[in-house]
Amino acid sequence: MKYGIEAKSRSFVGRGEPPKDIESQQMNLASPSDGQDVPFRMSKKLLAVLIASVAGCALAAGIAFGASGAVSSHHRAKATNEQLHVGTGLYAPPPSSPSTMSSSTGFCWACDEDHGSREGSWWFGWGACVCDEGWKGSCCSEPSLNIDDAWRQYLETPPNEVKNLAMTLEKEADDLAATFGSMAVDLSDIDVVVSGGGNLDAFWMGASMILSRISSANVKRQAGVSAGGMMPFEIALKGELNTLESHLSYGIITRDYKDWFANALSAASWQDHHWRIMADWQTNKYSASLSNRLDRKIHLGTSCLKPFPTLVIIDEYTAADDQATHAFMSTGTFLEMYDGYICSDGGATSGPKMTPLFQDDLRPQLIVDLMLTGFPTSMVYDASIEQYMSLIRVGMQEMVRFATTGTTERSDIITLCPTGSDVSGNICLPSS
């Protein structure tokens, strides 16, 4: 009724006095003190209403038209994947693989440029995004697989992005090794001990890639706790390339499922969960090779209640009763039952630097302290793939420098503890 009254009164503006009944109704809608302005003020309100109404109708029509266009675009995309984005350079799937892309309609200002592209007409934010394989949603920003299934898939078959990155790092290691001259440090008969440090283990990944390429180096045994034990375990069991690809793949997981890793607690919990999946997977996949590749070569330290926290060293492995799985997890998790004891991260009982040094004095020990990388301590719990690759490269460079000069840029990050040293406190001290 209000808008009808305003419309009637507006027709009399400039045309003489309106009928009294209408004028009285107008006066009831406005302040009694300025009734003479009512027809003019009502016309301004009406103008605003009309503009809003026209805009609303236009928006509704645009959305409806855009949505219908998006639906047709969706069907065209499904039917003619081979012809998508010809000449745009955005994405063109192989003609023989039409299932590698999917279209999604809905409100989205812009498709995720890393995982999809626009197709067809867009109206007021509505249209079809053509999603790359493994992605869905109106903007192609949601992974198709749940996070656990994606991790399992990557363990078996790393994404092409990871394979390319791993090949790049492998070539860099080859090129660095090719520049070696004479060695300043005798690495011909050594044991290796790596400290705990979570995702700072990227440093050891890089350092070990160089150490394995030094023809005169001969590593007999390796020991470690937490990530410093897990990484050597993985490399010895799965090989350098597979281990590298697994860890880079997890960088993809943290990037594509970033909401799962919003804070340190969430990131640490998810990685612990996913490392359990990996531990079970690698025990099953390499069950026939566990003993041959690991026994008395890889020494994992874990903290077990006996009844007080005690450092337990594990150096034999089997798939029976998932012993290798429990051993792997016990060195770096919050809580794990191992051999009937409650155990947890070995860093708690392996000395001030989390380095479970060999006590038998058989040979010099190359000690790597992951906590001295200089990278953010937040990397212990969470690391982007860019950070991880950067630290791998730092590990390569520091190992080259140590092998050829006997020093490192980061003080004491790599040291060689000679035989005869006092290692009773799990740090290397001159013998008294």
Side-chain angles (χ1 to χ4, degrees):
M1 293 297 294
K2 177 179 178 182
Y3 297 128
I5 292 171
E6 290 180 342
K8 289 179 182 178
S9 65
R10 189 166 182 267
S11 65
F12 290 99
V13 175
R15 298 183 186 180
E17 292 293 321
K20 292 185 179 296
D21 61 332
I22 295 180
E23 181 177 3
S24 64
Q25 293 182 63
Q26 293 172 339
M27 295 300 290
N28 289 335
L29 296 173
S31 171
S33 63
D34 56 0
Q36 295 302 318
D37 290 337
V38 169
F40 176 70
R41 288 174 47 221
M42 290 301 172
S43 66
K44 288 195 294 184
K45 291 181 179 179
L46 177 60
L47 180 61
V49 170
L50 288 174
I51 291 174
S53 300
V54 171
C57 291
L59 178 63
I63 290 175
F65 184 75
S68 64
V71 171
S72 65
S73 296
H74 170 69
H75 291 297
R76 289 199 307 275
K78 292 179 67 176
T80 60
N81 279 334
E82 181 178 349
Q83 300 173 6
L84 293 177
H85 313 298
V86 175
T88 66
L90 293 175
Y91 182 83
S96 60
S97 305
S99 63
T100 60
M101 299 177 70
S102 63
S103 296
S104 179
T105 58
F107 186 84
C108 177
W109 284 119
C111 298
D112 188 312
E113 62 182 13
D114 294 324
H115 307 299
S117 54
R118 288 186 176 186
E119 193 275 339
S121 300
W122 278 56
W123 292 83
F124 298 103
W126 288 78
C129 283
V130 180
C131 302
D132 296 348
E133 182 178 12
W135 293 87
K136 64 179 183 179
S138 58
C139 294
C140 299
S141 58
E142 304 170 32
S144 298
L145 293 174
N146 71 53
I147 191 170
D148 289 354
D149 289 342
W151 178 229
R152 290 186 180 96
Q153 177 175 297
Y154 290 171
L155 287 172
E156 287 289 351
T157 308
N160 289 332
E161 178 182 359
V162 162
K163 291 180 179 179
N164 292 334
L165 294 174
M167 287 177 59
T168 297
L169 291 170
E170 291 273 311
K171 184 179 185 306
E172 290 177 16
D174 291 339
D175 292 343
L176 283 171
T179 65
F180 284 167
S182 59
M183 298 291 105
V185 181
D186 183 6
L187 302 174
S188 61
D189 186 29
I190 60 171
D191 293 327
V192 170
V193 181
V194 184
S195 79
N199 292 303
L200 296 172
D201 61 1
F203 180 89
W204 176 243
M205 182 79 250
S208 68
M209 291 171 72
I210 296 300
L211 187 60
S212 68
R213 287 165 170 77
I214 299 176
S215 59
S216 61
N218 184 10
V219 177
K220 294 296 182 64
R221 300 178 298 182
Q222 297 182 70
V225 296
S226 194
M230 289 174 158
M231 176 71 80
F233 180 106
E234 290 182 69
I235 295 174
L237 180 63
K238 301 183 292 189
E240 177 183 285
L241 180 58
N242 287 337
T243 301
L244 176 60
E245 289 179 340
S246 291
H247 284 255
L248 293 179
S249 291
Y250 203 69
I252 301 298
I253 291 288
T254 63
R255 181 194 70 191
D256 291 349
Y257 297 83
K258 56 182 178 293
D259 291 345
W260 279 255
F261 302 87
N263 56 65
L265 179 59
S266 178
S269 298
W270 274 109
Q271 186 160 4
D272 182 83
H273 168 68
H274 289 137
W275 254 230
R276 292 178 184 277
I277 291 175
M278 182 174 71
D280 183 66
W281 171 82
Q282 65 192 15
T283 293
N284 290 320
K285 186 175 182 68
Y286 299 95
S287 59
S289 306
L290 286 166
S291 179
N292 181 55
R293 297 182 183 181
L294 303 178
D295 284 3
R296 290 169 294 282
K297 299 172 186 174
I298 300 298
H299 298 244
L300 296 179
T302 182
S303 302
C304 298
L305 297 179
K306 289 189 159 187
F308 301 107
T310 303
L311 179 63
V312 174
I313 301 296
I314 305 167
D315 65 355
E316 292 185 350
Y317 307 91
T318 177
D321 299 320
D322 291 326
Q323 181 267 346
T325 300
H326 295 301
F328 180 82
M329 287 307 305
S330 70
T331 191
T333 191
F334 307 110
L335 182 66
E336 184 75 10
M337 292 299 298
Y338 180 77
D339 198 25
Y341 295 99
I342 298 174
C343 303
S344 62
D345 195 302
T349 54
S350 53
K353 291 185 174 293
M354 300 185 290
T355 47
L357 300 180
F358 291 99
Q359 301 295 310
D360 52 20
D361 202 32
L362 287 181
R363 53 186 66 88
Q365 302 185 62
L366 186 75
I367 304 172
V368 178
D369 190 343
L370 299 180
M371 301 307 295
L372 297 179
T373 63
F375 275 60
T377 55
S378 60
M379 272 190 70
V380 170
Y381 305 105
D382 187 20
S384 69
I385 191 169
E386 292 80 13
Q387 283 179 311
Y388 205 82
M389 290 186 64
S390 179
L391 188 49
I392 287 174
R393 291 185 169 108
V394 169
M396 291 183 188
Q397 294 158 5
E398 289 285 35
M399 182 55 77
V400 169
R401 181 167 179 169
F402 180 78
T404 56
T405 69
T407 63
T408 55
E409 181 178 340
R410 294 156 180 79
S411 179
D412 294 333
I413 194 168
I414 303 175
T415 56
L416 189 65
C417 183
T419 56
S421 300
D422 178 6
V423 296
S424 58
N426 283 312
I427 55 175
C428 182
L429 298 172
S431 59
S432 54

XYZ file of all heavy atoms in Angstrom, residues 342-413:
550
model
N 55.408 -49.126 27.126
C 54.899 -47.857 26.622
C 56.102 -47.005 26.223
O 56.965 -46.703 27.043
C 54.073 -47.126 27.701
C 52.851 -47.959 28.088
C 53.637 -45.751 27.189
C 52.065 -47.369 29.249
N 56.154 -46.624 24.956
C 57.315 -45.893 24.430
C 56.871 -44.616 23.728
O 55.704 -44.468 23.353
C 58.105 -46.772 23.457
S 58.680 -48.339 24.169
N 57.828 -43.713 23.544
C 57.562 -42.461 22.837
C 58.858 -41.948 22.232
O 59.902 -42.623 22.306
C 56.950 -41.426 23.788
O 57.843 -41.125 24.836
N 58.809 -40.762 21.677
C 59.932 -40.158 20.954
C 61.262 -40.362 21.675
O 61.418 -40.021 22.850
C 59.663 -38.666 20.783
C 60.566 -38.020 19.750
O 61.803 -38.094 19.918
O 60.048 -37.436 18.788
N 62.242 -40.907 20.956
C 63.542 -41.203 21.549
C 64.371 -39.995 21.920
O 65.382 -40.125 22.620
N 63.941 -38.795 21.475
C 64.701 -37.600 21.795
C 64.768 -37.308 23.281
O 65.704 -36.651 23.755
N 63.795 -37.828 24.055
C 63.734 -37.534 25.487
C 64.844 -38.199 26.284
O 65.179 -37.739 27.385
C 62.373 -37.958 26.038
N 65.433 -39.256 25.753
C 66.414 -40.023 26.538
C 67.748 -40.202 25.817
O 68.557 -41.046 26.221
C 65.837 -41.417 26.874
O 65.421 -42.057 25.662
C 64.654 -41.313 27.829
N 67.992 -39.421 24.779
C 69.213 -39.617 23.984
C 70.203 -38.459 24.106
O 70.957 -38.185 23.189
C 68.848 -39.836 22.514
O 68.023 -38.796 22.041
N 70.189 -37.802 25.256
C 71.171 -36.752 25.503
C 70.678 -35.371 25.114
O 69.620 -35.218 24.494
N 71.454 -34.340 25.459
C 71.024 -32.953 25.230
C 70.866 -32.579 23.768
O 70.165 -31.620 23.448
C 72.134 -32.132 25.904
C 73.321 -33.037 25.928
C 72.777 -34.407 26.118
N 71.499 -33.298 22.878
C 71.386 -32.999 21.449
C 70.560 -34.028 20.688
O 70.531 -34.038 19.466
C 72.785 -32.888 20.832
C 73.558 -31.653 21.302
C 74.875 -31.525 20.562
C 75.564 -30.228 20.913
N 74.813 -29.039 20.423
N 69.916 -34.938 21.421
C 69.086 -35.986 20.805
C 69.895 -36.831 19.820
O 69.439 -37.150 18.725
C 67.862 -35.382 20.100
C 66.937 -34.607 21.005
S 65.433 -34.020 20.176
C 66.105 -32.764 19.080
N 71.097 -37.195 20.220
C 71.993 -37.978 19.357
C 72.416 -39.259 20.085
O 73.320 -39.233 20.931
C 73.243 -37.156 18.994
O 73.774 -36.548 20.197
C 72.895 -36.055 18.006
N 71.804 -40.389 19.777
C 72.134 -41.657 20.446
C 73.443 -42.241 19.894
O 73.450 -43.152 19.057
C 70.939 -42.544 20.107
C 70.482 -42.048 18.770
C 70.725 -40.563 18.778
N 74.559 -41.726 20.376
C 75.865 -42.137 19.850
C 76.164 -43.601 20.168
O 75.767 -44.134 21.205
C 76.961 -41.246 20.435
C 76.840 -39.742 20.148
C 78.005 -38.994 20.793
C 76.781 -39.468 18.652
N 76.862 -44.243 19.238
C 77.298 -45.620 19.468
C 78.306 -45.620 20.625
O 79.214 -44.785 20.680
C 77.936 -46.190 18.204
C 76.950 -46.414 17.085
C 76.822 -45.483 16.048
C 76.153 -47.550 17.053
C 75.923 -45.684 15.014
C 75.244 -47.763 16.023
C 75.121 -46.819 14.992
N 78.164 -46.581 21.503
C 78.998 -46.632 22.706
C 80.146 -47.627 22.597
O 80.959 -47.740 23.517
C 78.124 -47.000 23.912
C 76.984 -46.031 24.177
C 77.451 -44.639 24.573
O 78.294 -44.494 25.472
N 76.927 -43.605 23.907
N 80.255 -48.331 21.468
C 81.264 -49.394 21.364
C 82.599 -48.925 20.786
O 83.547 -49.707 20.688
C 80.729 -50.564 20.533
C 80.177 -50.123 19.179
O 80.535 -49.013 18.722
O 79.374 -50.874 18.596
N 82.684 -47.658 20.361
C 83.948 -47.068 19.911
C 84.587 -47.834 18.749
O 85.813 -47.903 18.614
C 84.939 -46.986 21.088
C 86.031 -45.946 20.867
O 85.749 -44.925 20.202
O 87.164 -46.157 21.338
N 83.753 -48.394 17.881
C 84.283 -49.176 16.770
C 84.901 -48.306 15.672
O 85.880 -48.702 15.031
C 83.183 -50.051 16.160
C 82.735 -51.258 16.983
C 81.652 -52.029 16.238
C 83.927 -52.168 17.299
N 84.329 -47.123 15.454
C 84.808 -46.270 14.365
C 84.384 -44.818 14.613
O 83.536 -44.562 15.473
C 84.282 -46.773 13.021
C 82.786 -46.956 12.964
C 82.333 -47.608 11.655
N 82.811 -48.969 11.530
C 82.150 -50.039 12.009
N 80.985 -49.885 12.647
N 82.632 -51.242 11.843
N 84.966 -43.873 13.872
C 84.548 -42.473 14.009
C 83.057 -42.324 13.690
O 82.494 -43.084 12.883
C 85.410 -41.745 12.975
C 86.584 -42.632 12.761
C 86.074 -44.025 12.902
N 82.429 -41.321 14.322
C 80.993 -41.111 14.128
C 80.740 -39.725 13.522
O 81.117 -38.703 14.098
C 80.247 -41.232 15.462
C 80.457 -42.594 16.136
C 79.614 -42.754 17.395
O 78.381 -42.729 17.340
N 80.268 -42.941 18.537
N 80.102 -39.731 12.363
C 79.686 -38.485 11.728
C 78.378 -38.070 12.385
O 77.371 -38.783 12.298
C 79.491 -38.703 10.227
C 79.187 -37.445 9.406
C 80.460 -36.612 9.232
C 78.599 -37.813 8.049
N 78.375 -36.912 13.054
C 77.207 -36.463 13.814
C 76.559 -35.280 13.095
O 77.229 -34.303 12.755
C 77.603 -36.049 15.243
C 78.331 -37.209 15.949
C 76.375 -35.626 16.043
C 78.926 -36.819 17.294
N 75.251 -35.390 12.884
C 74.485 -34.341 12.209
C 73.444 -33.804 13.184
O 72.597 -34.550 13.680
C 73.799 -34.878 10.936
C 72.979 -33.783 10.273
C 74.832 -35.439 9.971
N 73.510 -32.496 13.464
C 72.583 -31.853 14.405
C 71.550 -31.042 13.617
O 71.803 -29.918 13.195
C 73.359 -30.943 15.360
C 72.496 -30.436 16.510
O 71.261 -30.506 16.403
O 73.080 -29.961 17.514
N 70.378 -31.624 13.435
C 69.337 -30.983 12.633
C 68.835 -29.681 13.238
O 68.303 -28.824 12.518
C 68.148 -31.939 12.447
C 68.420 -33.258 11.722
C 67.134 -34.071 11.625
C 68.995 -33.001 10.332
N 69.003 -29.510 14.534
C 68.489 -28.304 15.189
C 69.366 -27.083 14.936
O 69.046 -25.986 15.394
C 68.334 -28.547 16.688
C 67.394 -29.701 17.031
S 65.759 -29.584 16.248
C 65.110 -28.105 17.023
N 70.449 -27.244 14.208
C 71.345 -26.127 13.917
C 71.231 -25.634 12.480
O 72.095 -24.910 11.996
C 72.800 -26.531 14.203
C 73.132 -26.880 15.658
C 74.594 -27.289 15.792
C 72.821 -25.709 16.590
N 70.160 -26.007 11.785
C 70.017 -25.618 10.380
C 69.813 -24.115 10.218
O 70.106 -23.556 9.158
C 68.819 -26.328 9.727
O 67.614 -25.933 10.382
C 68.987 -27.844 9.800
N 69.281 -23.453 11.244
C 68.954 -22.043 11.113
C 67.595 -21.792 10.492
O 67.162 -20.647 10.387
N 66.924 -22.853 10.087
C 65.576 -22.716 9.541
C 64.580 -22.578 10.687
O 64.887 -22.928 11.823
C 65.233 -23.919 8.671
C 65.711 -23.788 7.241
C 67.068 -23.623 6.953
C 64.814 -23.825 6.191
C 67.510 -23.492 5.657
C 65.245 -23.703 4.875
C 66.591 -23.528 4.611
N 63.375 -22.054 10.422
C 62.394 -21.847 11.497
C 62.098 -23.136 12.261
O 61.934 -24.198 11.651
C 61.147 -21.353 10.754
C 61.662 -20.791 9.479
C 62.856 -21.610 9.111
N 62.040 -23.037 13.574
C 61.727 -24.227 14.373
C 60.319 -24.736 14.100
O 60.015 -25.896 14.393
C 61.881 -23.929 15.873
O 61.071 -22.783 16.215
C 63.326 -23.629 16.218
N 59.468 -23.879 13.528
C 58.125 -24.331 13.165
C 58.171 -25.455 12.144
O 57.203 -26.220 12.010
C 57.304 -23.159 12.615
O 57.915 -22.610 11.462
N 59.284 -25.577 11.418
C 59.423 -26.656 10.434
C 59.442 -28.026 11.093
O 59.196 -29.036 10.427
C 60.704 -26.481 9.618
C 60.542 -25.612 8.386
S 61.996 -25.680 7.308
C 61.876 -27.358 6.659
N 59.734 -28.077 12.377
C 59.713 -29.362 13.079
C 58.350 -30.018 12.902
O 58.238 -31.238 12.721
C 60.029 -29.169 14.573
C 59.762 -30.459 15.347
C 61.483 -28.734 14.745
N 57.290 -29.210 12.925
C 55.928 -29.736 12.856
C 55.267 -29.548 11.500
O 54.347 -30.288 11.166
C 55.064 -29.065 13.926
C 55.629 -29.192 15.316
C 56.232 -28.113 15.948
C 55.601 -30.409 15.987
C 56.770 -28.230 17.224
C 56.141 -30.545 17.252
C 56.722 -29.457 17.873
O 57.257 -29.579 19.111
N 55.714 -28.573 10.754
C 55.036 -28.280 9.500
C 56.017 -27.610 8.546
O 56.793 -26.748 8.961
C 53.847 -27.340 9.758
C 52.991 -27.130 8.517
O 53.068 -27.958 7.593
O 52.229 -26.143 8.490
N 55.995 -28.024 7.286
C 56.923 -27.451 6.311
C 56.265 -27.410 4.944
O 55.623 -28.374 4.525
C 58.210 -28.263 6.249
N 56.423 -26.293 4.272
C 55.946 -26.211 2.897
C 56.934 -26.946 1.996
O 58.089 -27.176 2.374
C 55.835 -24.750 2.455
O 57.134 -24.170 2.335
N 56.487 -27.297 0.819
C 57.370 -28.005 -0.101
C 58.534 -27.112 -0.522
O 59.654 -27.595 -0.749
C 56.577 -28.519 -1.330
C 57.450 -29.487 -2.154
C 56.069 -27.358 -2.173
C 56.677 -30.240 -3.209
N 58.303 -25.792 -0.565
C 59.381 -24.873 -0.919
C 60.445 -24.855 0.175
O 61.651 -24.874 -0.112
C 58.822 -23.468 -1.145
C 57.933 -23.319 -2.362
C 56.512 -23.805 -2.137
O 56.135 -24.039 -0.953
O 55.774 -23.972 -3.123
N 60.020 -24.789 1.440
C 60.964 -24.828 2.555
C 61.746 -26.131 2.555
O 62.958 -26.151 2.767
C 60.219 -24.697 3.887
C 59.761 -23.316 4.264
C 59.020 -23.328 5.587
O 58.121 -24.139 5.810
N 59.395 -22.426 6.477
N 61.037 -27.228 2.337
C 61.668 -28.539 2.398
C 62.751 -28.675 1.329
O 63.863 -29.141 1.600
C 60.612 -29.633 2.239
C 61.018 -30.950 2.850
C 60.870 -31.185 4.212
C 61.565 -31.971 2.072
C 61.252 -32.396 4.782
C 61.948 -33.173 2.631
C 61.786 -33.379 3.988
O 62.175 -34.570 4.549
N 62.431 -28.253 0.111
C 63.420 -28.328 -0.961
C 64.604 -27.415 -0.697
O 65.754 -27.763 -0.981
C 62.766 -27.993 -2.297
C 61.795 -29.040 -2.803
S 61.173 -28.677 -4.457
C 62.668 -28.758 -5.426
N 64.325 -26.245 -0.149
C 65.406 -25.315 0.164
C 66.369 -25.912 1.181
O 67.595 -25.786 1.039
C 64.814 -24.000 0.688
O 65.830 -23.088 1.021
N 65.826 -26.583 2.194
C 66.685 -27.182 3.216
C 67.434 -28.399 2.672
O 68.564 -28.673 3.097
C 65.858 -27.556 4.443
C 66.629 -28.010 5.681
C 67.760 -27.049 6.026
C 65.691 -28.194 6.869
N 66.841 -29.130 1.767
C 67.560 -30.224 1.109
C 68.812 -29.673 0.421
O 69.907 -30.236 0.535
C 66.653 -30.945 0.080
C 65.595 -31.792 0.797
C 67.493 -31.838 -0.848
C 64.581 -32.423 -0.134
N 68.663 -28.575 -0.264
C 69.799 -27.973 -0.971
C 70.866 -27.479 0.012
O 72.065 -27.590 -0.267
C 69.308 -26.826 -1.857
C 68.472 -27.306 -3.045
C 68.113 -26.166 -3.972
N 67.552 -26.661 -5.227
C 66.273 -26.566 -5.574
N 65.421 -25.977 -4.742
N 65.848 -27.039 -6.725
N 70.423 -26.944 1.152
C 71.388 -26.537 2.174
C 72.170 -27.751 2.674
O 73.392 -27.687 2.863
C 70.674 -25.838 3.355
C 71.628 -25.658 4.540
C 70.129 -24.489 2.912
N 71.477 -28.877 2.872
C 72.150 -30.100 3.297
C 73.192 -30.567 2.295
O 74.290 -30.998 2.665
N 72.857 -30.475 1.019
C 73.821 -30.825 -0.023
C 75.072 -29.951 0.075
O 76.212 -30.443 0.068
C 73.193 -30.641 -1.407
C 72.104 -31.610 -1.795
S 71.572 -31.246 -3.504
C 70.142 -32.310 -3.660
N 74.847 -28.648 0.151
C 75.973 -27.708 0.150
C 76.862 -27.881 1.379
O 78.096 -27.830 1.273
C 75.428 -26.278 0.076
C 74.718 -25.964 -1.234
C 73.753 -24.799 -1.129
O 73.653 -24.138 -0.092
N 73.019 -24.537 -2.202
N 76.247 -28.093 2.532
C 77.040 -28.239 3.754
C 77.845 -29.535 3.755
O 78.980 -29.569 4.234
C 76.140 -28.175 4.988
C 75.567 -26.791 5.287
C 76.591 -25.830 5.885
O 77.789 -25.887 5.515
O 76.200 -25.005 6.734
N 77.290 -30.605 3.197
C 78.040 -31.856 3.139
C 79.214 -31.734 2.169
O 80.308 -32.264 2.435
C 77.127 -33.014 2.749
C 77.843 -34.377 2.716
S 78.687 -34.811 4.273
C 77.273 -35.301 5.273
N 79.015 -31.053 1.063
C 80.120 -30.820 0.135
C 81.224 -30.039 0.832
O 82.415 -30.391 0.752
C 79.633 -30.058 -1.117
C 80.824 -29.582 -1.947
C 78.729 -30.938 -1.973
N 80.842 -28.998 1.519
C 81.833 -28.162 2.192
C 82.562 -28.943 3.283
O 83.782 -28.834 3.427
C 81.149 -26.933 2.797
C 82.104 -25.989 3.498
C 81.458 -24.657 3.810
N 82.376 -23.774 4.505
C 82.168 -22.480 4.724
N 81.058 -21.917 4.291
N 83.056 -21.762 5.374
N 81.806 -29.745 4.057
C 82.451 -30.506 5.131
C 83.431 -31.532 4.570
O 84.544 -31.694 5.075
C 81.400 -31.218 5.985
C 81.982 -32.026 7.109
C 82.430 -31.404 8.264
C 82.110 -33.410 7.006
C 82.994 -32.137 9.301
C 82.663 -34.152 8.026
C 83.113 -33.512 9.183
N 83.017 -32.228 3.520
C 83.871 -33.277 2.957
C 85.143 -32.710 2.338
O 86.205 -33.345 2.394
C 83.087 -34.072 1.912
N 85.044 -31.526 1.762
C 86.190 -30.970 1.034
C 87.048 -30.004 1.855
O 88.203 -29.755 1.504
C 85.715 -30.258 -0.241
O 84.751 -29.246 0.110
C 85.082 -31.253 -1.203
N 86.467 -29.458 2.957
C 87.242 -28.508 3.764
C 87.321 -28.875 5.239
O 88.126 -28.324 5.977
C 86.632 -27.088 3.668
O 85.367 -27.057 4.348
C 86.447 -26.669 2.220
N 86.440 -29.767 5.672
C 86.412 -30.137 7.091
C 85.638 -29.156 7.952
O 85.591 -29.295 9.173
N 85.009 -28.146 7.336
C 84.230 -27.158 8.077
C 82.839 -27.030 7.457
O 82.582 -27.544 6.358
C 84.910 -25.770 8.049
O 84.959 -25.297 6.689
C 86.325 -25.853 8.606
N 81.962 -26.315 8.180
C 80.626 -26.028 7.662
C 80.303 -24.565 7.900
O 80.861 -23.933 8.803
C 79.549 -26.895 8.357
O 79.644 -26.714 9.777
C 79.727 -28.365 8.001
N 79.421 -24.036 7.080
C 78.998 -22.639 7.259
C 78.231 -22.484 8.563
O 78.389 -21.487 9.268
C 78.144 -22.203 6.075
C 77.680 -20.761 6.148
C 76.870 -20.352 4.938
O 76.971 -21.013 3.894
O 76.132 -19.341 5.052
N 77.389 -23.460 8.878
C 76.632 -23.465 10.132
C 77.452 -24.254 11.152
O 77.593 -25.468 11.041
C 75.250 -24.093 9.913
C 74.365 -23.259 8.999
C 73.291 -24.089 8.339
N 72.456 -23.265 7.463
C 72.817 -22.880 6.241
N 73.986 -23.262 5.747
N 72.027 -22.121 5.517
N 77.924 -23.561 12.138
C 78.872 -24.148 13.080
C 78.338 -25.434 13.721
O 77.218 -25.460 14.253
C 79.192 -23.125 14.171
O 80.096 -23.656 15.111
N 79.126 -26.495 13.619
C 78.872 -27.787 14.285
C 77.631 -28.521 13.779
O 77.169 -29.457 14.432
C 78.749 -27.606 15.803
C 80.054 -27.156 16.445
O 81.123 -27.471 15.886
O 80.008 -26.485 17.491
N 77.099 -28.127 12.632
C 75.937 -28.862 12.139
C 76.350 -30.258 11.662
O 75.570 -31.209 11.727
C 75.204 -28.071 11.039
C 73.828 -28.688 10.795
C 76.022 -27.999 9.743
C 72.913 -27.830 9.961
